[in-house]
């Protein structure tokens, strides 16, 4: 049994769906396929949700934009009168009914009742197309197996229960393919939940772990995991192999290739995870697993729009346990994630993403006991397997404000010099 994951870009239009079917045909059995919403649908549904929640009339137009986009794809994929039309329209009718009611509960709850339609609709269309193209594919509502708590928008998976349900539900006969949704789940009371943006990789990894899959393949629009984001770097290299630990570290520091939670479930079960190109499916890609490297390749991660916050106790007390405990309780209360930190005797510095809602709340609370200064517009550069040459290369025209080295990784908060 194998698990495939196809993200939004791999189902963004009719040609992409056809390409997905070609890839599935190359394997075509004992497969569970996890699919995201088509293209940028999740963003578009977030607009629908916001307008719905704020009772804005634009909600109808936003809804129609999402509907038109999907129906155009259905039109390109199927002959007139195919069941895919009716099934797709049925989801949109249901969603329209939902947005015609008054929003009742909290924003996060409503989010999880609206945004998951992206995945429900994409999997319906892709499943219909696979069958139309001759693949025996069965649509599976992942909410029947992936059970979570009710922490809407960032739901935590109930592993044991979900594993049991997955094993009971997914039974592979000859040549059978199951097609299901990433990113979504449901509570024990069957209310829909989501796992956090970009959560479909995580869904695929969990399903692989539940069923002890041979491997997971995440199909992407890049040839594999690269040592840097080509957006910032010209000479990127594809990494043929990556250890689980390195994959976790890179994802955690902000490499956008995989959701940071993805590696844990496959690592625990020693399941290899391949990252491959859906454009060139015959190419090798990257394999993430347990092994020794032949050679270490420096990996770079850039995070832009960083803010450095300097925190000085007004009473000049030392930055030790009590101050740190207090500062972190404030950070945790507002869920402001620290990307890098450093302390001296009487100051504490943290580097965070420029979050315009959370930062002012944190500062306001801290200002009671601390003098705060801030600098924004910075970059955080992380290099794993660094050497002096690579550091020099990235620091061209940059001034370092804060840095931290350990054996494998260097992190630097930098300001551009003009
Ligand atoms: N469709 C969701 C998102 O865009 C989940 C995913 O793509 O992984 O965040
Ligand atoms: Mg995605």
């Amino acid at each position: 049994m194998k698990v495939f994951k196809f993200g939004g870009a791999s189902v963004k239009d009719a040609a992409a769906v056809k390409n997905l079917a070609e890839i599935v045909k190359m394997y075509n059995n004992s497969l569970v396929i996890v699919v995201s919403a088509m293209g940028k649908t999740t963003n578009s549904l977030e607009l629908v949700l916001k307008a719905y929640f704020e009772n804005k009339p634009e909600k109808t137009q936003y809804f129609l934009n999402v509907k038109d986009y999907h129906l155009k794809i259905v039109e390109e994929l199927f002959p007139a009168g195919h069941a895919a039309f009716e099934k797709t329209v049925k989801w949109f009718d249901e969603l329209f009914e939902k947005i015609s009611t008054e929003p009742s509960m909290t924003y996060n709850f409503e989010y999880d009742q609206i945004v998951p339609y992206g995945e429900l609709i994409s999997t319906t269309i892709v499943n219909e197309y696979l069958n139309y193209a001759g693949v025996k594919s069965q649509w599976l509502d992942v909410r029947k197996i992936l059970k979570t708590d009710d922490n809407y928008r960032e739901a935590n998976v109930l592993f044991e229960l979900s594993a049991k349900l997955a094993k009971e539900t997914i039974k592979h006969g000859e040549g059978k393919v199951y097609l299901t949704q990433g990113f979504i789940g449901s509570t024990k009371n069957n209310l829909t939940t989501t796992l956090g943006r970009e959560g479909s990789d995580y869904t695929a990894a969990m399903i692989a772990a539940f069923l002890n899959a041979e491997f997971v393949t995440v199909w992407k629009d890049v040839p594999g995991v690269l040592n840097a984001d080509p957006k910032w770097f010209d000479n990127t290299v594809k990494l043929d192999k990556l250890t689980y630990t390195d994959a976790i570290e890179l994802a955690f520091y902000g490499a956008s290739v995989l959701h940071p939670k993805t590696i844990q479930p496959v690592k625990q079960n020693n399941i290899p995870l391949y990252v491959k190109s859906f454009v060139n499916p015959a190419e090798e890609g990257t394999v993430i697993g347990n092994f020794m490297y032949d050679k270490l390749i420096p990996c770079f991660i850039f995070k832009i729009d960083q803010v450095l916050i300097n925190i000085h106790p007004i009473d000049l007390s030392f930055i030790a346990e009590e101050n740190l405990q207090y500062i972190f309780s404030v950070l945790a209360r507002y869920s402001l994630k620290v990307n890098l930190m450093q302390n001296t005797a009487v100051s504490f510095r943290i580097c965070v993403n420029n979050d315009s809602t959370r930062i002012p709340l944190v500062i306001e609370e801290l200002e009671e006991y601390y003098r705060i200064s801030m600098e924004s517009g910075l970059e955080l550069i992380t290099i794993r397997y660094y050497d002096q040459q690579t550091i020099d290369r990235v620091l061209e025209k940059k001034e370092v404000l804060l840095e931290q080295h350990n054996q494998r990784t260097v992190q630097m908060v930098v300001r551009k010099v003009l």
Side-chain angles (χ1 to χ4, degrees):
M1 210 280 298
K2 313 159 194 60
V3 177
F4 281 2
K5 185 260 168 167
F6 287 95
S10 64
V11 288
K12 71 175 198 299
D13 53 26
V17 176
K18 289 180 183 170
N19 179 59
L20 177 154
E22 289 308 310
I23 292 173
V24 170
K25 281 186 189 168
M26 287 162 53
Y27 295 81
N28 199 18
N29 61 41
S30 280
L31 207 57
V32 178
I33 307 173
V34 174
V35 179
S36 303
M38 293 178 150
K40 304 269 177 238
T41 299
T42 304
N43 294 349
S44 310
L45 286 171
E46 284 181 347
L47 287 179
V48 175
L49 163 82
K50 198 161 175 284
Y52 163 68
F53 200 73
E54 292 168 0
N55 259 317
K56 297 229 173 88
E58 294 95 292
K59 69 181 180 188
T60 307
Q61 190 53 52
Y62 292 150
F63 164 85
L64 289 174
N65 293 348
V66 179
K67 185 173 173 181
D68 290 348
Y69 164 66
H70 285 86
L71 285 181
K72 194 173 151 277
I73 294 176
V74 173
E75 261 164 38
E76 277 185 51
L77 288 173
F78 302 97
H82 190 280
F85 287 91
E86 208 187 301
K87 289 187 181 177
T88 307
V89 168
K90 204 158 163 259
W91 285 123
F92 280 106
D93 290 347
E94 210 182 287
L95 173 57
F96 191 71
E97 214 172 291
K98 167 71 194 161
I99 63 165
S100 305
T101 61
E102 284 285 303
S104 52
M105 315 272 274
T106 58
Y107 187 80
N108 290 352
F109 173 79
E110 295 295 5
Y111 185 102
D112 284 3
Q113 309 320 305
I114 288 178
V115 176
Y117 278 96
E119 268 68 15
L120 293 167
I121 294 162
S122 72
T123 52
T124 298
I125 297 171
V126 174
N127 185 60
E128 288 300 317
Y129 187 75
L130 284 178
N131 281 291
Y132 178 69
V135 178
K136 260 192 261 160
S137 169
Q138 180 166 335
W139 187 83
L140 172 68
D141 189 332
V142 81
R143 296 172 296 181
K144 292 214 166 81
I145 58 172
L146 207 82
K147 292 294 167 184
T148 71
D149 64 8
D150 60 0
N151 188 23
Y152 295 105
R153 262 183 100 180
E154 283 287 342
N156 301 297
V157 175
L158 308 173
F159 285 97
E160 264 174 48
L161 176 60
S162 303
K164 178 173 162 279
L165 292 170
K167 281 188 211 117
E168 282 169 11
T169 311
I170 300 178
K171 299 226 154 55
H172 277 102
E174 261 313 283
K176 196 162 171 185
V177 167
Y178 283 91
L179 190 107
T180 198
Q181 306 78 38
F183 174 59
I184 74 176
S186 81
T187 64
K188 284 185 185 164
N189 297 329
N190 302 319
L191 290 166
T192 307
T193 53
T194 61
L195 311 176
R197 286 300 308 263
E198 304 299 329
S200 298
D201 295 342
Y202 182 41
T203 306
M206 282 187 290
I207 291 180
F210 298 156
L211 303 174
N212 201 13
E214 233 174 285
F215 61 81
V216 183
T217 304
V218 175
W219 296 94
K220 304 211 52 130
D221 54 3
V222 287
V225 180
L226 306 178
N227 76 325
D229 188 332
K231 225 171 31 197
W232 313 115
F233 255 98
D234 297 335
N235 302 312
T236 55
V237 246
K238 185 195 61 118
L239 307 167
D240 297 335
K241 289 177 176 180
L242 198 59
T243 63
Y244 290 122
T245 314
D246 281 348
I248 292 175
E249 296 277 344
L250 295 180
F252 182 79
Y253 291 134
S256 60
V257 68
L258 289 169
H259 187 284
K261 283 185 178 169
T262 309
I263 305 300
Q264 213 62 43
V266 287
K267 178 177 195 270
Q268 265 162 12
N269 296 274
N270 210 0
I271 299 169
L273 188 150
Y274 293 87
V275 178
K276 284 173 65 115
S277 155
F278 61 73
V279 187
N280 298 304
E283 275 175 18
E284 283 276 328
T286 300
V287 55
I288 300 171
N290 250 338
F291 28 62
M292 306 288 282
Y293 292 119
D294 314 323
K295 69 170 196 269
L296 296 176
I297 300 174
C299 298
F300 307 83
I301 300 147
F302 277 79
K303 266 180 179 264
I304 55 162
D305 207 8
Q306 298 292 298
V307 179
L308 196 59
I309 306 179
N310 301 304
I311 306 167
H312 305 269
I314 293 172
D315 62 3
L316 289 183
S317 59
F318 293 129
I319 291 288
E321 293 79 355
E322 269 174 23
N323 272 315
L324 287 174
Q325 189 181 30
Y326 178 74
I327 293 167
F328 273 99
S329 72
V330 175
L331 292 168
R333 187 151 55 246
Y334 297 105
S335 303
L336 185 63
K337 196 173 150 281
V338 175
N339 294 331
L340 193 68
M341 60 184 144
Q342 203 167 65
N343 64 307
T344 67
V346 290
S347 82
F348 187 55
R349 304 167 88 193
I350 58 174
C351 172
V352 298
N353 295 349
N354 188 7
D355 185 320
S356 58
T357 44
R358 294 191 168 104
I359 292 177
L361 295 169
V362 166
I363 303 277
E364 198 187 312
E365 275 222 38
L366 288 178
E367 274 180 335
E368 192 178 342
Y369 304 111
Y370 303 90
R371 191 164 49 77
I372 310 284
S373 64
M374 275 202 313
E375 180 165 351
S376 55
L378 306 175
E379 288 171 11
L380 173 65
I381 305 176
T382 303
I383 313 175
R384 190 142 172 96
Y385 302 123
Y386 62 93
D387 53 33
Q388 197 52 47
Q389 196 191 336
T390 52
I391 293 180
D392 294 344
R393 181 174 158 207
V394 296
L395 287 186
E396 213 176 293
K397 296 197 187 137
K398 305 268 162 78
E399 181 186 348
V400 180
L401 301 177
L402 184 73
E403 62 180 305
Q404 213 161 77
H405 290 248
N406 68 33
Q407 219 185 339
R408 296 193 183 86
T409 309
V410 58
Q411 292 197 280
M412 297 170 290
V413 179
V414 303
R415 177 200 289 147
K416 270 196 204 131
V417 283
L418 301 171

